[in-house]
Amino acid sequence: MPRHCFSARGSRHSSSRRRYLRAMAVGVVLVLVFEYAVLPQLVGIDNVLRSLAGLPLIVLVGALCLEVTSWLSYSALTRVVLPGSSRPSYFTLVRIDLCDTAINHVVPGGGTTSAAARFRLLTLSGTPPQDALSAATIQVLGANLVLGALFGIGLLSMLGQVNVSGYYAAAGSVVLALFVLVVALLTVLDRHLAGAVRVVRSVAGAVPLMHPDSAEKFVRTVAGETQMFRAQPRRLLAGVALAALRWLLDAACLWVLVAAFGHVLGPGELLVAYSLAGLVSMVPLTPGGVGLVEGLLVPTLTGFGAPSHVAVLGVLSWRILQFWLPIPVGALAYVSMRLGVLRRAGRRRREIVLTGANGSADGR
């Protein structure tokens, strides 16, 4: 038998073994996440739901409206960062962002998976791939910078209070260092683009599966987006305002539910606790930071003076709206897109393929 046959068979066997090991690893992670992060919350979910049902209807409606408006604000931010010539309709962007959030809340380390799904949905909806990639980078980077700024504002507002420990000061220092690093990188892209391109090309050439031309195109697109925001200060201000609104509305939902159970948080306490939990949720250990966010928020609120049962009920009630609700809503959004914009996009692609095939036949 030819040697290349043995080589191909060995390659297929190795690939199959890697897929099996990867599936095993994902399965183990899912079991651990369910056992140690999801199950402890589900055990007491009946008490939380009963407590929620006992709240006045106006409180529940108000909290839900704040959370939904937070989602809509993020989609409005998506609309701002996408170039006007390539962005889908606002309704389509809302559904894409809901799909993104749902995947992020289901898959361990779901940020990467949800970003890939969001990128595909944007491109299928008519956005050029490079615009979708650069806009997503600018949006995530900008929104996280605003969240870090809100954390800093919360710390500054609490400087005269004894509740601010060295732990929060250390966290503030890390956020400040990351903020400075991002600003420095954007400054380098703005003022020394040629040098940045050379560095990126050399790094991409040394990393498997990365093509220097694609890396260069991405860096130039991000630099172009940054320059465009500088040249359009109103657009920049709109983006910052929408990013802040997205976080503040979500934080307000948490405040309403904690207050409904009996403890009123101060503005600084709310910003510090919420922003720190939001930053921790970005760590790709559990889906959407499930378990991590609750494990940080409850003791933080307790440290700020909230009774332990109020902190638990307030945080878990908020997570029902903020974490669990987007999962079924995102699934419905995807079904809606499959029956609408994605079906039309698939039909257009088939028509283009058929037109090209007919043109080739006519040419022959």
Side-chain angles (χ1 to χ4, degrees):
M1 184 178 292
R3 183 178 301 174
H4 66 82
C5 293
F6 289 105
S7 176
R9 183 179 301 173
S11 176
R12 285 195 299 271
H13 179 70
S14 176
S15 176
S16 176
R17 184 170 57 185
R18 283 196 299 270
R19 285 197 300 270
Y20 175 75
L21 291 175
R22 186 161 54 244
M24 287 283 292
V26 170
V28 169
V29 170
L30 286 173
V31 169
L32 292 176
V33 167
F34 184 81
E35 177 72 21
Y36 294 103
V38 178
L39 191 58
Q41 297 187 56
L42 296 180
V43 168
I45 199 67
D46 289 343
N47 293 331
V48 177
L49 291 175
R50 280 196 297 269
S51 299
L52 267 177
L55 293 177
L57 181 61
I58 189 172
V59 172
L60 296 177
V61 172
L64 179 61
C65 288
L66 286 170
E67 197 59 48
V68 172
T69 310
S70 174
W71 303 345
L72 298 178
S73 300
Y74 191 72
S75 296
L77 176 60
T78 306
R79 194 170 187 272
V80 166
V81 298
L82 280 173
S85 60
S86 63
R87 63 188 177 209
S89 68
Y90 177 65
F91 181 52
T92 298
L93 291 177
V94 170
R95 289 180 290 172
I96 290 174
D97 287 336
L98 285 171
C99 293
D100 174 20
T101 304
I103 295 172
N104 191 21
H105 289 185
V106 170
V107 182
T112 304
T113 305
S114 65
R118 186 173 189 262
F119 172 80
R120 177 165 176 77
L121 290 174
L122 281 172
T123 53
L124 289 176
S125 301
T127 303
Q130 207 61 37
D131 287 347
L133 185 59
S134 62
T137 303
I138 293 294
Q139 181 176 5
V140 171
L141 192 61
N144 292 344
L145 283 175
V146 170
L147 182 62
L150 292 176
F151 177 68
I153 292 171
L155 277 181
L156 289 175
S157 69
M158 295 178 63
L159 281 180
Q161 302 180 22
V162 296
N163 288 338
V164 179
S165 65
Y167 172 73
Y168 295 113
S173 300
V174 172
V175 171
L176 178 61
L178 292 174
F179 188 90
V180 171
L181 177 62
V182 170
V183 171
L185 288 174
L186 293 177
T187 303
V188 168
L189 288 180
D190 185 40
R191 300 184 180 180
H192 307 283
L193 180 58
V197 166
R198 286 196 297 271
V199 172
V200 167
R201 288 188 66 89
S202 62
V203 171
V207 176
L209 304 179
M210 285 188 66
H211 197 281
D213 291 340
S214 300
E216 177 181 349
K217 189 175 181 181
F218 172 71
V219 168
R220 290 189 181 277
T221 304
V222 171
E225 290 276 342
T226 306
Q227 292 171 359
M228 182 170 55
F229 275 102
R230 284 186 56 196
Q232 301 176 9
R234 289 186 178 180
R235 189 179 175 194
L236 175 61
L237 289 175
V240 172
L242 287 169
L245 190 63
R246 182 257 190 278
W247 300 123
L248 290 174
L249 288 168
D250 191 22
C253 178
L254 172 64
W255 183 91
V256 165
L257 291 171
V258 174
F261 287 113
H263 181 78
V264 177
L265 292 167
E269 296 171 343
L270 176 66
L271 286 179
V272 168
Y274 172 81
S275 302
L276 189 59
L279 294 169
V280 167
S281 71
M282 298 172 193
V283 179
L285 294 179
T286 61
V290 63
L292 300 177
V293 171
E294 297 83 354
L296 175 68
L297 257 183
V298 170
T300 300
L301 296 184
T302 304
F304 287 153
S308 58
H309 71 282
V310 170
V312 170
L313 287 174
V315 169
L316 293 184
S317 299
W318 168 67
R319 287 292 269 175
I320 288 175
L321 298 180
Q322 189 258 359
F323 178 86
W324 296 104
L325 183 59
I327 296 175
V329 174
L332 292 175
Y334 180 73
V335 171
S336 171
M337 292 191 68
R338 289 291 300 177
L339 297 176
V341 62
L342 296 183
R343 173 180 287 184
R344 291 193 295 271
R347 190 182 301 122
R348 285 195 298 270
R349 288 196 306 273
R350 288 191 296 270
E351 290 174 354
I352 291 172
V353 171
L354 290 174
T355 301
N358 292 334
S360 300
D362 294 339
R364 287 197 300 269

